[in-house]
Amino acid sequence: MRAENGPAAEAGGDTVAAVVRQWQAVRPDIDTGPMEVIGRINRCAALLQQAEDAPLRRAGLTRAEFDLLGALRRTGHELTPGELARETFSSGAAVTKRLKQLQERALVERRADARDRRVAHVRLTDAGRGLVDTILPEQLCYETVVLSVLDGGDQERLSALLGGLLARLEGRLGPGRG
């Protein structure tokens, strides 16, 4: 069994601390340590995404659609649907569906490959680039405010810890699976 650590746990804690206390009451023989870490990562991710998605909702985009637009913007060049699937950890079918919706909104353009008409190349339109460039600073501003509860050193340590965990998980599970 693992004891809870930190001021939040001592003060009654977060929602994960409550779940851990319940499990420890009914199953004191199990180690809830993994739940304490993974549960908190999942809960933080869900809460962050809810608020972070507000600019996307105002723009009429889903998170997955913005991920496609963002991949095109950050790479700076055309990508095939297969490349977009790899960049966004999505299935090919999901990418195809999202690209169709984004194309209907004139945010992306598709063109057939000159040598192989079965291959499509996707690029941002000016409207798509403008939308990404408008939304991204809003999201980064929100993230800065959220993370301001941690001092710079804590942010760097948390980033390093999460980066190490992610690198190991991607190495073991592969970047496209999980």
Side-chain angles (χ1 to χ4, degrees):
M1 183 162 64
R2 184 177 166 128
E4 297 170 347
N5 297 324
E10 292 166 6
D14 53 52
T15 55
V16 173
V19 168
V20 166
R21 281 193 301 275
Q22 291 170 334
W23 276 116
Q24 288 174 342
V26 297
R27 290 291 313 271
D29 58 311
I30 61 171
D31 176 8
T32 57
M35 182 185 301
E36 294 174 50
V37 174
I38 293 173
R40 285 186 174 102
I41 289 171
N42 287 338
R43 182 71 177 135
C44 285
L47 291 170
L48 290 169
Q49 194 156 353
Q50 284 174 9
E52 187 179 83
D53 284 353
L56 302 180
R57 284 192 300 274
R58 284 193 298 274
L61 291 173
T62 66
R63 158 68 46 198
E65 289 169 336
F66 184 73
D67 287 347
L68 289 176
L69 296 174
L72 289 164
R73 182 68 173 114
R74 74 175 185 268
T75 60
H77 56 81
E78 294 180 345
L79 296 172
T80 66
E83 292 167 334
L84 280 166
R86 285 188 295 281
E87 283 287 328
T88 60
F89 309 107
S90 301
S91 72
V95 167
T96 298
K97 177 183 173 188
R98 291 175 192 133
L99 286 175
K100 183 176 184 238
Q101 293 165 335
L102 293 170
Q103 190 172 10
E104 288 170 0
R105 293 183 58 193
L107 297 174
V108 299
E109 293 176 340
R110 297 171 69 126
R111 69 169 182 80
D113 187 277
R115 292 175 298 213
D116 185 347
R117 308 275 309 157
R118 296 170 298 175
V119 176
H121 296 273
V122 182
R123 73 173 191 89
L124 284 176
T125 62
D126 289 341
R129 183 177 298 100
L131 187 59
V132 171
D133 288 350
T134 298
I135 293 172
L136 184 60
E138 290 179 48
Q139 290 184 297
L140 292 173
C141 182
Y142 167 75
E143 291 170 2
T144 299
V145 170
V146 167
L147 291 175
S148 69
V149 299
L150 301 173
D151 69 32
D154 284 346
Q155 287 183 34
E156 288 176 18
R157 282 187 291 283
L158 180 57
S159 178
L161 287 168
L162 291 172
L165 175 62
L166 182 58
R168 286 182 182 95
L169 291 174
E170 286 181 340
R172 189 176 72 198
L173 302 174
R177 300 182 322 236

